[in-house]
Amino acid sequence: MTFLLTLLAAIFVLGPLIALHEWGHYIVARLCGVKVLTYSIGFGPKVFGWTSKKSGIDYRISALPLGGYVKMLDEREGNVAKDEQHLAFNRQHPLKKIAIVAAGPIMNFVIAIALFWVLFMTPSEQLATKIGQVLPDTPAAMAQLPVGDKIVAIDGHDVQTWEGINYRLAGRMGETDNVSITLQSDAQTDQSTKTYQAPVTQFMQGEAQGKDALTSFGMLPWQPQIAPIVGGLAPDGAASRQGLKVGDRITAINNESIEDWITATRIIRDNPETLLNFTVLRDDKSVQLQIMPQGKKDNLGNDYGQIGAMVDQTEIVIPDDYKTTVVYGPSESLVKSFEKTEQLAVMTVSSMGKMLSGMIGLDNLSGPITIAKVAKQSFDISWQMVLSTAALISLSLAVLNLLPIPVLDGGHIVYHFIELIRGKPLSEGVQMVGLNIGLLLLAGFMVLAIGNDISRLF
């Protein structure tokens, strides 16, 4: 059942993005006077579809849902009647060819901007960007960031939400440098700011790999103070098997004092398959236990620990000074959607460069299995998360398709720019060599990405 829901979520999110990407190619080709033969969602054998009686275009859904294509009349792919030669793609001016090829990725950019615009216009109550906790032995601790101060900028870029902070920090993945954190203190009546320098070394790599950017950096938003008292136990969990009981109060783990449930959870999650020394208070007596968290994997394949202990449900009240309502008007939302699209596109390209240079591992590359699992997870959270996930995937499709690899749109654009400058296209032999190299590169990336996906399952 879970597999079916994951598949349906992936189809629901990816299907429209692929269809609209191909529609970009399709509509611009028709506007440029090129005859379209086939509009396909997916590759391989035709599953179902229809042929337009008016235009003769074959609209189809194909068996392999890993993309799509628009087939146009082209003398390089078969004989073309003399009276239709002016409709062939290969006969068009290079600028028309560039427009047709670029239309797909541009459509994905437009989709991302539109979805971000809707999200920015949706009022939401969020946690204020005040630092709620600084984790020990982290860049935030080394910079001595004060708890309670409001984060207003990262590396000189204004931030209004924790999501924005997370993205700015994630953009520094793999780097060894100082991260600038600008804070505003409530203690200052003039609301003046102070900038701190937090040193990072191979940020989010090594032991920190798999952790989110905020945890790796060591500054977290406000979190409720929940007493570390065990309210329930999973019968097959490590906690139950190794002596923890309902009503026990966890006072220390590996000699680190525990004041709240969230701190205990963080330590447990960070230590899968590692024997931990628990000190608990039971019937006013201190009891020593050794518990090894079971190793689990999240949707992105990151390892985490779990002992099968639950806390009693308690009502959480967020202090007013740690809450904020984020709302933007239509024009401001549009500006912010363009800014966010630019920021994430630059971060995507930068991450690719870091993978190629070895600053971050190739295991950060994700394939269709991970994308499907993330899509499913977004449906479990909210409609806003579904739109956000769709926007991020659409943006990734745009950037990836614009890479100058011959088999991708970006490679074809390079060919047509060369044709524009030379006044004639490259020879078919040269183009075929490039396409073969592109296919090998793309196949290599796909094998690596799917391999990473599979490794995250086990």
Side-chain angles (χ1 to χ4, degrees), residues 27 54 58 84 104 161 182 192 215 254 262 276 284 294 301 326 337 345 355 399 413 423 451 453:
I27 195 63
K54 182 178 180 181
D58 176 18
E84 288 192 328
T161 64
T182 303
S192 60
T215 303
N254 280 4
I262 291 176
L276 300 177
D284 296 326
Q294 294 169 285
V326 179
S337 65
M355 277 190 275
V399 173
I413 290 171
D453 284 352

PDB file of all heavy atoms in Angstrom, residues 27 54 58 84 104 161 182 192 215 254 262 276 284 294 301 326 337 345 355 399 413 423 451 453:
ATOM      1  N   ILE A  27       4.454  24.135 -27.730  1.00  0.00           N
ATOM      2  CA  ILE A  27       3.734  25.356 -28.125  1.00  0.00           C
ATOM      3  C   ILE A  27       4.647  26.324 -28.874  1.00  0.00           C
ATOM      4  O   ILE A  27       4.230  26.982 -29.831  1.00  0.00           O
ATOM      5  CB  ILE A  27       3.084  26.036 -26.895  1.00  0.00           C
ATOM      6  CG1 ILE A  27       2.050  27.063 -27.346  1.00  0.00           C
ATOM      7  CG2 ILE A  27       4.116  26.653 -25.981  1.00  0.00           C
ATOM      8  CD1 ILE A  27       0.873  26.480 -28.108  1.00  0.00           C
ATOM      9  N   LYS A  54      -7.372  17.103 -36.822  1.00  0.00           N
ATOM     10  CA  LYS A  54      -7.090  18.399 -37.427  1.00  0.00           C
ATOM     11  C   LYS A  54      -5.608  18.577 -37.746  1.00  0.00           C
ATOM     12  O   LYS A  54      -5.237  18.970 -38.861  1.00  0.00           O
ATOM     13  CB  LYS A  54      -7.565  19.519 -36.504  1.00  0.00           C
ATOM     14  CG  LYS A  54      -7.365  20.915 -37.066  1.00  0.00           C
ATOM     15  CD  LYS A  54      -7.906  21.967 -36.110  1.00  0.00           C
ATOM     16  CE  LYS A  54      -7.688  23.372 -36.683  1.00  0.00           C
ATOM     17  NZ  LYS A  54      -8.200  24.419 -35.743  1.00  0.00           N
ATOM     18  N   ASP A  58       0.216  13.082 -32.838  1.00  0.00           N
ATOM     19  CA  ASP A  58      -0.012  11.892 -32.010  1.00  0.00           C
ATOM     20  C   ASP A  58       0.255  12.257 -30.548  1.00  0.00           C
ATOM     21  O   ASP A  58       1.402  12.448 -30.144  1.00  0.00           O
ATOM     22  CB  ASP A  58       0.931  10.771 -32.470  1.00  0.00           C
ATOM     23  CG  ASP A  58       0.816   9.521 -31.599  1.00  0.00           C
ATOM     24  OD1 ASP A  58      -0.193   9.388 -30.890  1.00  0.00           O
ATOM     25  OD2 ASP A  58       1.756   8.698 -31.629  1.00  0.00           O
ATOM     26  N   GLU A  84       6.603  20.244 -47.519  1.00  0.00           N
ATOM     27  CA  GLU A  84       6.622  20.402 -46.065  1.00  0.00           C
ATOM     28  C   GLU A  84       8.017  20.719 -45.525  1.00  0.00           C
ATOM     29  O   GLU A  84       8.195  20.835 -44.311  1.00  0.00           O
ATOM     30  CB  GLU A  84       6.106  19.130 -45.382  1.00  0.00           C
ATOM     31  CG  GLU A  84       4.604  18.919 -45.519  1.00  0.00           C
ATOM     32  CD  GLU A  84       4.113  17.827 -44.595  1.00  0.00           C
ATOM     33  OE1 GLU A  84       4.885  16.866 -44.342  1.00  0.00           O
ATOM     34  OE2 GLU A  84       2.972  17.932 -44.103  1.00  0.00           O
ATOM     35  N   GLY A 104      11.247  24.521 -22.886  1.00  0.00           N
ATOM     36  CA  GLY A 104      10.952  23.534 -21.852  1.00  0.00           C
ATOM     37  C   GLY A 104      11.495  23.936 -20.490  1.00  0.00           C
ATOM     38  O   GLY A 104      10.736  24.036 -19.512  1.00  0.00           O
ATOM     39  N   THR A 161      12.485  33.975   7.670  1.00  0.00           N
ATOM     40  CA  THR A 161      11.942  32.705   8.165  1.00  0.00           C
ATOM     41  C   THR A 161      13.069  31.715   8.421  1.00  0.00           C
ATOM     42  O   THR A 161      14.185  31.861   7.903  1.00  0.00           O
ATOM     43  CB  THR A 161      10.966  32.090   7.141  1.00  0.00           C
ATOM     44  OG1 THR A 161      11.687  31.755   5.949  1.00  0.00           O
ATOM     45  CG2 THR A 161       9.832  33.053   6.796  1.00  0.00           C
ATOM     46  N   THR A 182      24.046  37.855  11.235  1.00  0.00           N
ATOM     47  CA  THR A 182      23.676  39.170  11.763  1.00  0.00           C
ATOM     48  C   THR A 182      22.461  39.022  12.662  1.00  0.00           C
ATOM     49  O   THR A 182      21.425  38.493  12.236  1.00  0.00           O
ATOM     50  CB  THR A 182      23.373  40.152  10.624  1.00  0.00           C
ATOM     51  OG1 THR A 182      24.510  40.237   9.758  1.00  0.00           O
ATOM     52  CG2 THR A 182      23.053  41.539  11.174  1.00  0.00           C
ATOM     53  N   SER A 192      19.495  47.828  17.206  1.00  0.00           N
ATOM     54  CA  SER A 192      20.742  47.754  16.459  1.00  0.00           C
ATOM     55  C   SER A 192      21.122  46.294  16.226  1.00  0.00           C
ATOM     56  O   SER A 192      20.636  45.385  16.901  1.00  0.00           O
ATOM     57  CB  SER A 192      21.862  48.468  17.220  1.00  0.00           C
ATOM     58  OG  SER A 192      22.062  47.864  18.486  1.00  0.00           O
ATOM     59  N   THR A 215      20.876  22.036  12.405  1.00  0.00           N
ATOM     60  CA  THR A 215      21.493  21.205  13.439  1.00  0.00           C
ATOM     61  C   THR A 215      23.013  21.168  13.267  1.00  0.00           C
ATOM     62  O   THR A 215      23.765  21.238  14.242  1.00  0.00           O
ATOM     63  CB  THR A 215      20.926  19.777  13.389  1.00  0.00           C
ATOM     64  OG1 THR A 215      19.510  19.826  13.547  1.00  0.00           O
ATOM     65  CG2 THR A 215      21.519  18.911  14.487  1.00  0.00           C
ATOM     66  N   ASN A 254      25.006   9.357  28.526  1.00  0.00           N
ATOM     67  CA  ASN A 254      26.473   9.456  28.382  1.00  0.00           C
ATOM     68  C   ASN A 254      27.025  10.638  29.174  1.00  0.00           C
ATOM     69  O   ASN A 254      27.853  11.414  28.680  1.00  0.00           O
ATOM     70  CB  ASN A 254      26.861   9.556  26.906  1.00  0.00           C
ATOM     71  CG  ASN A 254      26.850   8.199  26.225  1.00  0.00           C
ATOM     72  OD1 ASN A 254      26.491   7.186  26.819  1.00  0.00           O
ATOM     73  ND2 ASN A 254      27.232   8.174  24.955  1.00  0.00           N
ATOM     74  N   ILE A 262      13.337  16.850  24.079  1.00  0.00           N
ATOM     75  CA  ILE A 262      13.901  17.095  22.750  1.00  0.00           C
ATOM     76  C   ILE A 262      15.413  16.883  22.749  1.00  0.00           C
ATOM     77  O   ILE A 262      15.978  16.348  21.796  1.00  0.00           O
ATOM     78  CB  ILE A 262      13.533  18.515  22.261  1.00  0.00           C
ATOM     79  CG1 ILE A 262      12.022  18.573  21.974  1.00  0.00           C
ATOM     80  CG2 ILE A 262      14.323  18.892  21.015  1.00  0.00           C
ATOM     81  CD1 ILE A 262      11.514  19.931  21.585  1.00  0.00           C
ATOM     82  N   LEU A 276      24.458   3.493  24.485  1.00  0.00           N
ATOM     83  CA  LEU A 276      24.397   4.725  25.266  1.00  0.00           C
ATOM     84  C   LEU A 276      24.124   4.391  26.736  1.00  0.00           C
ATOM     85  O   LEU A 276      23.350   3.481  27.052  1.00  0.00           O
ATOM     86  CB  LEU A 276      23.282   5.634  24.736  1.00  0.00           C
ATOM     87  CG  LEU A 276      23.384   6.082  23.275  1.00  0.00           C
ATOM     88  CD1 LEU A 276      22.161   6.916  22.882  1.00  0.00           C
ATOM     89  CD2 LEU A 276      24.664   6.886  23.045  1.00  0.00           C
ATOM     90  N   ASP A 284      12.170   7.735  42.753  1.00  0.00           N
ATOM     91  CA  ASP A 284      13.113   8.555  43.527  1.00  0.00           C
ATOM     92  C   ASP A 284      14.490   7.921  43.684  1.00  0.00           C
ATOM     93  O   ASP A 284      15.292   8.350  44.530  1.00  0.00           O
ATOM     94  CB  ASP A 284      12.550   8.880  44.916  1.00  0.00           C
ATOM     95  CG  ASP A 284      11.301   9.739  44.851  1.00  0.00           C
ATOM     96  OD1 ASP A 284      11.221  10.582  43.941  1.00  0.00           O
ATOM     97  OD2 ASP A 284      10.413   9.555  45.696  1.00  0.00           O
ATOM     98  N   GLN A 294      18.146   1.557  17.818  1.00  0.00           N
ATOM     99  CA  GLN A 294      18.072   0.813  16.561  1.00  0.00           C
ATOM    100  C   GLN A 294      18.339   1.763  15.392  1.00  0.00           C
ATOM    101  O   GLN A 294      17.858   2.892  15.369  1.00  0.00           O
ATOM    102  CB  GLN A 294      16.683   0.193  16.405  1.00  0.00           C
ATOM    103  CG  GLN A 294      16.368  -0.883  17.436  1.00  0.00           C
ATOM    104  CD  GLN A 294      14.904  -1.267  17.406  1.00  0.00           C
ATOM    105  OE1 GLN A 294      14.042  -0.537  17.874  1.00  0.00           O
ATOM    106  NE2 GLN A 294      14.616  -2.434  16.846  1.00  0.00           N
ATOM    107  N   GLY A 301      17.485   8.582   3.159  1.00  0.00           N
ATOM    108  CA  GLY A 301      18.513   7.570   3.377  1.00  0.00           C
ATOM    109  C   GLY A 301      19.480   7.881   4.490  1.00  0.00           C
ATOM    110  O   GLY A 301      20.479   7.177   4.671  1.00  0.00           O
ATOM    111  N   VAL A 326       3.701  35.719   8.874  1.00  0.00           N
ATOM    112  CA  VAL A 326       4.357  36.109   7.620  1.00  0.00           C
ATOM    113  C   VAL A 326       3.299  36.236   6.540  1.00  0.00           C
ATOM    114  O   VAL A 326       2.584  35.272   6.245  1.00  0.00           O
ATOM    115  CB  VAL A 326       5.416  35.063   7.214  1.00  0.00           C
ATOM    116  CG1 VAL A 326       6.072  35.463   5.903  1.00  0.00           C
ATOM    117  CG2 VAL A 326       6.463  34.917   8.311  1.00  0.00           C
ATOM    118  N   SER A 337       9.321  35.540  -5.003  1.00  0.00           N
ATOM    119  CA  SER A 337       9.357  34.262  -5.723  1.00  0.00           C
ATOM    120  C   SER A 337      10.479  34.250  -6.756  1.00  0.00           C
ATOM    121  O   SER A 337      11.150  33.230  -6.933  1.00  0.00           O
ATOM    122  CB  SER A 337       8.007  33.985  -6.384  1.00  0.00           C
ATOM    123  OG  SER A 337       7.712  34.920  -7.389  1.00  0.00           O
ATOM    124  N   ALA A 345      18.354  28.228  -7.688  1.00  0.00           N
ATOM    125  CA  ALA A 345      19.013  27.824  -8.935  1.00  0.00           C
ATOM    126  C   ALA A 345      20.531  27.949  -8.786  1.00  0.00           C
ATOM    127  O   ALA A 345      21.283  27.040  -9.184  1.00  0.00           O
ATOM    128  CB  ALA A 345      18.518  28.679 -10.099  1.00  0.00           C
ATOM    129  N   MET A 355      30.187  18.890  -6.006  1.00  0.00           N
ATOM    130  CA  MET A 355      30.284  17.440  -6.163  1.00  0.00           C
ATOM    131  C   MET A 355      31.404  17.070  -7.132  1.00  0.00           C
ATOM    132  O   MET A 355      32.164  16.137  -6.901  1.00  0.00           O
ATOM    133  CB  MET A 355      28.944  16.871  -6.649  1.00  0.00           C
ATOM    134  CG  MET A 355      27.940  16.644  -5.526  1.00  0.00           C
ATOM    135  SD  MET A 355      26.489  15.708  -6.039  1.00  0.00           S
ATOM    136  CE  MET A 355      25.472  17.007  -6.697  1.00  0.00           C
ATOM    137  N   VAL A 399      17.144  23.529 -14.200  1.00  0.00           N
ATOM    138  CA  VAL A 399      18.607  23.672 -14.116  1.00  0.00           C
ATOM    139  C   VAL A 399      19.302  22.484 -14.770  1.00  0.00           C
ATOM    140  O   VAL A 399      20.250  22.653 -15.557  1.00  0.00           O
ATOM    141  CB  VAL A 399      19.042  23.815 -12.648  1.00  0.00           C
ATOM    142  CG1 VAL A 399      20.564  23.796 -12.540  1.00  0.00           C
ATOM    143  CG2 VAL A 399      18.492  25.112 -12.051  1.00  0.00           C
ATOM    144  N   ILE A 413      21.131  23.692 -27.148  1.00  0.00           N
ATOM    145  CA  ILE A 413      21.223  25.153 -27.243  1.00  0.00           C
ATOM    146  C   ILE A 413      22.641  25.564 -27.633  1.00  0.00           C
ATOM    147  O   ILE A 413      22.843  26.473 -28.457  1.00  0.00           O
ATOM    148  CB  ILE A 413      20.809  25.805 -25.904  1.00  0.00           C
ATOM    149  CG1 ILE A 413      19.297  25.627 -25.690  1.00  0.00           C
ATOM    150  CG2 ILE A 413      21.173  27.290 -25.883  1.00  0.00           C
ATOM    151  CD1 ILE A 413      18.815  26.049 -24.312  1.00  0.00           C
ATOM    152  N   GLY A 423      27.141  30.311 -39.018  1.00  0.00           N
ATOM    153  CA  GLY A 423      26.306  30.471 -40.210  1.00  0.00           C
ATOM    154  C   GLY A 423      25.864  29.147 -40.790  1.00  0.00           C
ATOM    155  O   GLY A 423      25.149  29.098 -41.784  1.00  0.00           O
ATOM    156  N   GLY A 451      21.643   4.246  -7.834  1.00  0.00           N
ATOM    157  CA  GLY A 451      22.437   3.492  -6.863  1.00  0.00           C
ATOM    158  C   GLY A 451      22.381   4.124  -5.484  1.00  0.00           C
ATOM    159  O   GLY A 451      22.247   3.443  -4.466  1.00  0.00           O
ATOM    160  N   ASP A 453      19.943   6.008  -4.408  1.00  0.00           N
ATOM    161  CA  ASP A 453      18.572   5.775  -3.930  1.00  0.00           C
ATOM    162  C   ASP A 453      18.455   4.404  -3.279  1.00  0.00           C
ATOM    163  O   ASP A 453      17.881   4.246  -2.200  1.00  0.00           O
ATOM    164  CB  ASP A 453      17.578   5.863  -5.100  1.00  0.00           C
ATOM    165  CG  ASP A 453      17.313   7.292  -5.538  1.00  0.00           C
ATOM    166  OD1 ASP A 453      17.772   8.208  -4.838  1.00  0.00           O
ATOM    167  OD2 ASP A 453      16.645   7.493  -6.567  1.00  0.00           O
TER     168      ASP A 453
END
